[in-house]
């Protein structure tokens, strides 16, 4: 059975690095960047934190893409800010149309490290205070600890190790 | 009624420039880059000219995204190499699920101009002989002249004019 991995967490937690490595590890896979799907909207674009309607459309698009990939025999890695309520809706949409397992991984880093990583980005890509705000939103959502993977102490050299953990540890699996 | 614009043609014909400008002109719109959808495939990726199966999956994904955008009241601009047989399949898939009009625009440029434009790109993005091969594939497909828009003589300053032509001229509409 195919698996859909949702790699979530605030900006700077390593979603992009981990999800790319994870997708490359899988023999037959697709990686869906939520930001890319969201930015398909051109005329009338609003950022996800300003338009509930466009955010919901983005999740619908992510779900339909995932379904098509799963039906083609591929595992899927989603790289996007996702809260538990979004995972529940994704699960409902997917389960109606494709048989698959869903794993939910919330990458977490301490605030100081988040700030440090944000400053290392090119100026145009820095999130500034939005990065901390997002991190706090994850805290406030009271996410079940079993989905959290803290990468504060982890270096670039440990990416393979993190992927192995995500692939093999069943605690990230969303139960029925 | 919403319109789905398929902006096609060989690499270097101006698909990216024209489709971006067109999408920005429309009040409520989305732009789908076929290359981006195609490159969602990670493990097991093959380029579209090497895998019929992956190319078909990409078109299915483009159709489902288009349907979701149309149902949300948005016009859609697709930027991708598309031949008439792909437009027919797209039309069938869309018409089953959403009411919309489809316009098909094949941008064309003379070979010398195509080569010149290709050389202006950053080295990593140059298509080289693939660009000419693609252009010839369009010629060989015997595409109905009414869908062709020749941009050989057109400069960057005429982008708005080209958009206006695409928006207002009904000859690009795919008939039932």
């Amino acid at each position: 059975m195919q698996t859909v991995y949702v790699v979530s967490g605030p900006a700077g937690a390593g979603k992009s690095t981990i999800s790319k490595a994870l997708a490359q590890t899988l023999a037959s896979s697709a990686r869906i960047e939520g930001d890319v799907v969201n930015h398909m909207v051109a005329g009338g674009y609003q950022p996800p934190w300003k338009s509930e309607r466009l955010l919901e459309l983005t999740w619908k698009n992510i779900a339909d893409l995932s379904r098509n990939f799963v039906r083609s025999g591929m595992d899927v890695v989603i790289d996007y800010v996702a809260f538990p309520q979004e995972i529940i809706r994704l699960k409902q949409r997917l389960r109606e149309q494709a048989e698959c397992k869903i794993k939910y991984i919330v990458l977490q880093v301490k605030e100081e490290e988040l700030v440090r990583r944000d400053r290392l980005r090119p100026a145009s890509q820095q999130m500034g205070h939005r990065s901390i705000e997002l991190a706090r939103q994850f805290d406030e959502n009271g996410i079940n600890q079993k989905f959290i993977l803290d990468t504060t102490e982890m270096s670039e050299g440990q990416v393979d190790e993190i992927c192995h953990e995500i692939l093999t540890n069943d605690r990230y699996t969303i139960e029925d």
Side-chain angles (χ1 to χ4, degrees), chain A:
Chain A
M1 186 164 58
Q2 273 66 52
T3 303
V4 174
Y5 301 86
V6 185
V7 180
S8 183
K15 289 193 296 299
S16 178
T17 307
I18 303 294
S19 66
K20 271 183 202 162
L22 191 61
Q24 285 301 341
T25 302
L26 297 157
S28 179
S29 68
R31 174 169 168 267
I32 302 170
E33 281 178 273
D35 280 343
V36 166
V37 175
N38 178 254
H39 272 98
M40 286 179 181
V41 177
Y45 177 79
Q46 283 192 297
W49 58 92
K50 284 196 179 161
S51 170
E52 188 84 29
R53 186 183 74 91
L54 288 183
L55 181 60
E56 209 183 303
L57 177 57
T58 293
W59 274 106
K60 182 157 180 38
N61 283 333
I62 291 173
D64 286 354
L65 290 168
S66 300
R67 177 204 57 207
N68 291 348
F69 285 125
V70 164
R71 282 190 184 161
S72 292
M74 296 157 93
D75 292 311
V76 175
V77 182
I78 297 168
D79 163 357
Y80 203 36
V81 170
F83 293 107
Q85 64 272 26
E86 285 154 338
I87 300 298
I88 292 168
R89 257 186 290 171
L90 176 70
K91 192 182 87 174
Q92 287 164 347
R93 279 181 186 139
L94 274 176
R95 289 279 168 84
E96 281 167 22
Q97 303 183 62
E99 213 186 323
C100 63
K101 185 163 138 176
I102 298 178
K103 279 189 166 189
Y104 177 43
I105 303 98
V106 180
L107 299 176
Q108 205 175 55
V109 257
K110 299 241 173 334
E111 278 195 13
E112 313 89 76
E113 174 65 8
L114 219 53
V115 172
R116 194 187 70 83
R117 290 187 195 176
D118 191 51
R119 287 194 184 135
L120 289 175
R121 294 178 187 235
S124 68
Q125 287 171 37
Q126 284 180 21
M127 298 278 292
H129 68 104
R130 276 280 311 152
S131 174
I132 300 292
E133 265 174 43
L134 254 178
R136 291 188 184 155
Q137 239 181 298
F138 275 97
D139 289 344
E140 286 157 15
N141 259 270
I143 290 162
N144 190 325
Q145 283 298 315
K146 69 177 197 152
F147 298 124
I148 291 175
L149 182 83
D150 197 307
T151 66
T152 308
E153 309 290 330
M154 285 169 175
S155 67
E156 291 266 339
Q158 281 165 292
V159 169
D160 287 350
E161 216 172 294
I162 299 174
C163 287
H164 183 78
E165 156 76 7
I166 294 172
L167 289 168
T168 56
N169 197 329
D170 232 26
R171 69 177 189 156
Y172 302 107
T173 304
I174 298 282
E175 275 146 40
D176 287 302

